[in-house]
C-alpha cells in the first residue's frame, strides 16, 4: 500500500487525555467528510474543520510506498528530540483510518512507538491501536463506538452531535472541546456549563493554539 501523508512533525499533543505529551504527529492526507477545498465546505458533512490535509506537500510529507518506509519517517521525526523510552505517534488527518492498516501499526510498534489515532469514528478501527480517540462529526454515523477517549467538538448544531448521543458508548474518557469558530468564548462557556452539569464529560482545550505551538 502507498500511504499519502500531508506532514510529519514532532510536537506536544495539545488536546484530550494526553495533553502535553511529546509525540510525532503523522497527518494522513484526505478525509471522507470534506474534500478539504474551501469551495466544497458549505456542502460538506463536516463544516468546521481547521486542518489542511490536502496533498502531500507539508513538512515531512510525501508518498510512502511501504509501512516500513512510513515508520522510518516517523522515527526520523522523533530523532534525537527526546528519550527513546516513551515514543508516541499520533495518526491523524484528515481521516487516518482511510489509510492506516495493520502493516503500518505493526511497523510503528516494531520501531518502538505507542500508536495513537484520532478518527471521526465513521470507519471501524483495525486492531493493535494503543490509544484510540473518536471525535464524531455532525450527523455522520459513528461506527467505531468504543475506544480510549471520545472527544466531541461542541456545540456543532442544535440537532446534531449532541453529547447524550454518545454518553453510553464504551470509552474511558469523554471530552467536550469548544468549537473554535467566531463564537469561541460562548462555546467555551457552553462546554464549561455542560461539564458542570454532567461530570461524565471533561473540558478539553486546544492548548497548542492557546500557546501558539504547531
Ligand atoms: S472529520 Fe476531521 S479532518 Fe475531516 S473535515 Fe472534519 S475535522 Fe476535518
Amino acid at each position: 500500500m502507498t500511504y499519502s501523508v500531508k506532514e510529519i512533525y514532532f510536537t506536544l499533543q495539545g488536546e484530550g487525555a494526553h495533553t502535553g505529551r511529546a509525540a510525532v504527529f503523522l497527518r494522513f492526507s484526505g478525509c471522507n467528510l470534506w474534500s478539504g477545498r474551501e469551495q466544497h465546505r458549505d456542502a460538506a458533512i463536516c463544516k468546521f474543520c481547521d486542518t489542511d490535509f490536502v496533498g502531500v506537500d507539508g513538512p515531512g510529507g510525501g508518498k510512502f510506498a511501504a509501512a516500513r518506509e512510513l515508520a522510518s519517517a516517523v522515527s526520523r521525526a522523533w530523532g534525537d528530540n527526546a528519550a527513546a523510552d516513551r515514543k508516541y505517534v499520533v495518526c491523524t488527518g484528515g481521516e487516518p483510518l482511510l489509510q492506516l492498516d495493520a502493516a503500518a501499526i505493526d511497523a510503528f510498534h516494531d520501531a518502538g512507538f505507542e500508536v495513537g489515532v484520532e478518527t471521526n469514528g465513521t470507519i471501524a478501527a483495525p486492531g493493535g491501536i494503543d490509544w484510540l480517540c473518536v471525535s464524531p462529526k455532525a450527523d455522520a454515523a459513528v461506527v467505531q463506538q468504543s475506544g480510549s477517549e471520545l472527544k466531541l467538538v461542541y456545540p456543532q448544531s442544535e440537532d446534531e452531535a449532541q453529547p447524550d448521543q454518545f454518553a453510553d458508548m464504551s470509552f474511558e474518557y469523554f471530552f467536550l472541546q469548544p468549537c473554535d469558530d467566531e463564537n469561541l468564548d460562548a462555546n467555551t462557556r457552553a462546554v464549561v456549563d455542560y461539564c458542570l452539569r454532567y461530570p461524565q464529560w471533561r473540558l478539553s482545550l486546544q492548548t497548542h493554539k492557546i500557546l501558539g505551538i504547531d
Side-chain angles (χ1 to χ4, degrees):
M1 168 164 183
T2 297
Y3 304 92
S4 296
V5 172
K6 176 69 181 185
E7 57 186 351
I8 301 174
Y9 58 99
F10 182 68
T11 187
L12 296 181
Q13 167 62 285
E15 306 173 0
H18 282 299
T19 294
R21 180 175 179 181
V24 173
F25 266 64
L26 166 56
R27 187 175 311 288
F28 287 97
S29 306
C31 183
N32 56 344
L33 299 186
W34 179 41
S35 69
R37 309 284 182 194
E38 284 304 324
Q39 64 266 35
H40 301 150
R41 187 185 285 273
D42 285 348
I45 295 172
C46 182
K47 300 185 194 307
F48 57 80
C49 186
D50 58 1
T51 305
D52 178 5
F53 54 76
V54 177
V56 295
D57 57 349
K63 299 254 189 192
F64 297 86
R68 301 266 163 224
E69 201 180 306
L70 184 60
S72 294
V74 168
S75 291
R76 281 195 299 278
W78 186 277
D80 299 326
N81 287 304
D85 58 338
R86 293 294 301 268
K87 293 196 292 188
Y88 186 44
V89 58
V90 176
C91 302
T92 185
E95 174 45 57
L97 297 186
L98 293 169
Q99 301 189 63
L100 184 72
D101 58 5
I105 293 168
D106 288 346
F108 297 145
H109 284 153
D110 289 347
F113 282 87
E114 288 176 55
V115 179
V117 170
E118 306 221 341
T119 173
N120 59 34
T122 58
I123 299 169
I129 294 167
D130 301 299
W131 187 267
L132 180 60
C133 173
V134 171
S135 185
K137 299 295 179 342
D139 61 354
V142 176
V143 172
Q144 182 61 45
Q145 300 197 0
S146 61
S148 310
E149 63 183 355
L150 186 135
K151 185 174 63 188
L152 185 65
V153 174
Y154 182 83
Q156 296 190 27
S157 77
E158 284 185 7
D159 54 353
E160 293 176 344
Q162 293 300 310
D164 58 3
Q165 292 174 233
F166 311 105
D168 292 332
M169 293 183 181
S170 298
F171 293 88
E172 292 172 54
Y173 298 95
F174 292 80
F175 286 101
L176 286 188
Q177 186 167 284
C179 185
D180 185 14
D181 61 13
E182 65 279 8
N183 301 312
L184 177 60
D185 287 350
N187 296 343
T188 303
R189 281 195 301 277
V191 167
V192 169
D193 287 347
Y194 197 94
C195 292
L196 286 169
R197 276 189 293 141
Y198 301 99
Q200 173 186 4
W201 295 86
R202 301 181 184 192
L203 168 67
S204 172
L205 294 175
Q206 293 184 292
T207 59
H208 51 299
K209 289 185 180 176
I210 295 168
L211 299 174
I213 297 171
D214 285 336

